[in-house]
Amino acid sequence: MLHFKSRKYREIWREGAVIKDYLLKKLNIRLLSSSYRSIRTKLLFCFLIVTLIPLLSLGGLSYYQSAKVINSQFGKYGENAVAQLEQQMSSYLNRMNQTTETVYSYLLDPARVDLGNQVPTTYKEIMDKDDFEVLLKALKTDRTAGIYIITNSGYYYGENNLDVAKLNRIPAWQAMSDAYVGKYWLGFYPQNHGMKETEESGITVLGLAVPINNPYGALRGSKILIEENAEDLLHMFKLFENDTKAHLRIADPQGLIIYETAAVFTSQSSDIVWNKTLAANEWTIEARLPAKSFYRSSGIIRSNTMMVAVASCLLAFGIAYVFSSRFTSRIRRLKDAMQKVGFGKLHTRTQVEAKDELGSLDTSFNNMVGGIQSLIGEVERSERLKKEAELKAFHYQINPHLLFNTLNSIQWKARLQGAEDIRQMLYHLTMVLEGNLDISQELIPLSRELWMIEHFLKIQEVRYGPVFDYELECDEPLKRYLIPRMTLQPLFENIFFHGFEDGKGNIRLSVKEEGSHLILTLSDNGAGIPADKLERLLLPTAANRKGRGGLGVQNADQKFKLHFGQQYGLTVHSSQGEGTTIIMKWPEKEESPHGSKQDD
């Protein structure tokens, strides 16, 4: 139903092409002359060339696309508006249909055959009349103007506000024959058939009349009259007409006009037409809009586009001059900043003035210098931390010979005095310290770490007795792979000092291979870790807190990250009262035959 004025679009394109050719000829002549050899002037005219041509082309294309979109959207808006009218009218019609079907079904009940077409005289007839009118009142909604059953004799059921003699004021009611079968839609009309109403009074309603023709029901030959307040519906019609400026017409299948816009309108073949058909009674809603009104928005866009194009051309001349003068200064400023960085002034930054190519270059330069500055700072921090670690290691260094000789002397003294438990604890302690005090290697085979754990558990067994169970699951080939020194012992210490009560519990350690990585799982059924402590267990700040608990876990995690990378380390799962599970993941590495470490 939509079409566009392609002829005018082609004229716009031709005008743009003529202007483009003219500008190209003039600019080529000026650029080839000797008076335009400076780089600043060349930049000026090159900028004008690459600006004006796309600008004019973009203006024409923008107008074409904008007009196309506006016309399409306005057409869809009209279709949606007519669809809303159709939906609202269908709501009215369906509600009236349901009311008539309910009344009709009520009258088909054999118990209602006593309802007559005369004024009731007996008590039963009065009661039947009252029951029937209660039903009619119950069927009324806030939009229902009236529900009546009008008999052949002129007597009616419903509210006592109807003058039957005035029903002939409704043209469609007067035209309805007594032999009509089915639903008869009366259309829109003023409700002026009340007792105290005149022809000029009354609200506008939508009427439906249904003859009662069933030979087995009550009130055969009577008519059901349903009237719905149509003020809101007519208000919607007015809003649609004012909003779209379209001519609205509603007609029945026979072509009888139900509603039409009051303004005089002459239809044309070029009109934009929106149609909808009501399913309830096959009325047709037709909205017509003259093509001139439909394309008025695109005409406004064309005028505005031309005005903007002229203003943009003038603005382009001014911007071209400013840009050409600032272009070289920005390059010079960037060059000076590079020289300062070359002299070691890493705090140098260039100002980013725009988001063009030079602005992107300024941003990249600033990011590069910032990255270099951060990298140098990171190296300085690493060296400082390394030096601090070396100083701490030197400060806490213990003479192994003195310690081992002293322990051996104590062990020999305990043996002479028959203190076997003390001798065994000293023996196993000596084995643990022998492995832990060997700082020549930071990465040791997993077998050696497990060997020290066995001695540590022997100490705990002497201390607590055989009250805990330890289960190890590790294939022999996996024990050759390297692990950070003194990683497992702090975790086992946490189990006995914080997890178990009097050393009672179960410990399970498993090592499995997953691709080129090792997965070590250490689990216990001890007291578990509180949720608040578990959240900050592996945070770097946890190493600086006072008190015991969690320090060994955080140190073990840092060891894995320092040796293998930030993507490796410990994962802790724990619930208070249900035990703790620690999972370690690190890449497979093993010692070379010459003692150096290598990737597997």
Side-chain angles (χ1 to χ4, degrees), residues 148-208:
Y148 309 99
I149 310 299
I150 304 167
T151 66
N152 292 332
S153 64
Y155 178 72
Y156 71 93
Y157 293 88
E159 296 181 5
N160 296 324
N161 61 350
L162 177 64
D163 188 349
V164 178
K166 295 180 180 179
L167 287 178
N168 287 331
R169 293 179 181 178
I170 305 174
W173 180 274
Q174 186 179 8
M176 182 174 57
S177 63
D178 295 336
Y180 188 86
V181 178
K183 297 176 182 178
Y184 192 83
W185 294 93
L186 304 177
F188 299 100
Y189 56 87
Q191 193 184 40
N192 54 13
H193 39 271
M195 294 288 188
K196 300 178 181 180
E197 293 174 346
T198 63
E199 293 187 7
E200 292 77 16
S201 63
I203 62 173
T204 302
V205 296
L206 176 62
L208 170 62

Side-chain angles (χ1 to χ4, degrees), residues 122-329:
T122 66
Y123 176 77
K124 185 177 185 310
E125 291 176 347
I126 293 174
M127 293 301 296
D128 290 341
K129 171 183 176 296
D130 291 341
D131 292 342
F132 187 33
E133 291 185 343
V134 168
L135 171 67
L136 298 182
K137 289 181 180 179
L139 293 175
K140 291 186 66 175
T141 65
D142 55 345
R143 291 182 179 177
T144 303
I147 303 177
Y148 309 99
I149 310 299
I150 304 167
T151 66
N152 292 332
S153 64
Y155 178 72
Y156 71 93
Y157 293 88
E159 296 181 5
N160 296 324
N161 61 350
L162 177 64
D163 188 349
V164 178
K166 295 180 180 179
L167 287 178
N168 287 331
R169 293 179 181 178
I170 305 174
W173 180 274
Q174 186 179 8
M176 182 174 57
S177 63
D178 295 336
Y180 188 86
V181 178
K183 297 176 182 178
Y184 192 83
W185 294 93
L186 304 177
F188 299 100
Y189 56 87
Q191 193 184 40
N192 54 13
H193 39 271
M195 294 288 188
K196 300 178 181 180
E197 293 174 346
T198 63
E199 293 187 7
E200 292 77 16
S201 63
I203 62 173
T204 302
V205 296
L206 176 62
L208 170 62
V210 180
I212 303 174
N213 296 317
N214 194 294
Y216 304 106
L219 300 176
R220 184 173 184 273
S222 301
K223 297 181 180 65
I224 303 174
L225 176 61
I226 308 294
E227 293 179 335
E228 290 271 330
N229 189 336
E231 295 291 341
D232 292 342
L233 197 58
L234 294 176
H235 181 65
M236 285 189 60
F237 294 164
K238 297 298 182 184
L239 291 178
F240 173 81
E241 294 164 353
N242 294 332
D243 193 21
T244 63
K245 308 302 180 184
H247 184 82
L248 183 63
R249 176 182 294 175
I250 302 175
D252 65 6
Q254 289 74 35
L256 180 64
I257 303 300
I258 306 299
Y259 173 86
E260 188 172 10
T261 304
V264 178
F265 181 80
T266 303
S267 61
Q268 302 289 338
S269 59
S270 60
D271 292 342
I272 307 301
V273 182
W274 298 297
N275 289 314
K276 286 290 181 181
T277 301
L278 301 176
N281 57 5
E282 297 184 356
W283 283 0
T284 301
I285 302 176
E286 180 186 86
R288 282 184 170 270
L289 182 65
K292 182 178 180 180
S293 299
F294 184 82
Y295 294 109
R296 182 178 294 119
S297 299
S298 59
I300 295 174
I301 294 176
R302 181 178 64 252
S303 301
N304 292 338
T305 302
M306 296 298 295
M307 294 175 59
V308 171
V310 173
S312 299
C313 289
L314 296 177
L315 182 62
F317 278 101
I319 294 176
Y321 179 80
V322 175
F323 177 84
S324 61
S325 61
R326 296 183 61 187
F327 183 79
T328 54
S329 63

Side-chain angles (χ1 to χ4, degrees), residues 83-98:
Q84 290 181 359
L85 293 180
E86 182 267 339
Q87 183 179 6
Q88 191 68 18
M89 287 196 67
S90 296
S91 175
Y92 274 77
L93 302 180
N94 292 334
R95 186 167 56 251
M96 296 170 72
N97 275 331
Q98 292 175 0

Side-chain angles (χ1 to χ4, degrees), residues 69-87:
V69 171
I70 289 295
N71 292 335
S72 175
Q73 291 181 347
F74 187 63
K76 292 180 180 179
Y77 172 77
E79 292 179 359
N80 293 334
V82 173
Q84 290 181 359
L85 293 180
E86 182 267 339
Q87 183 179 6

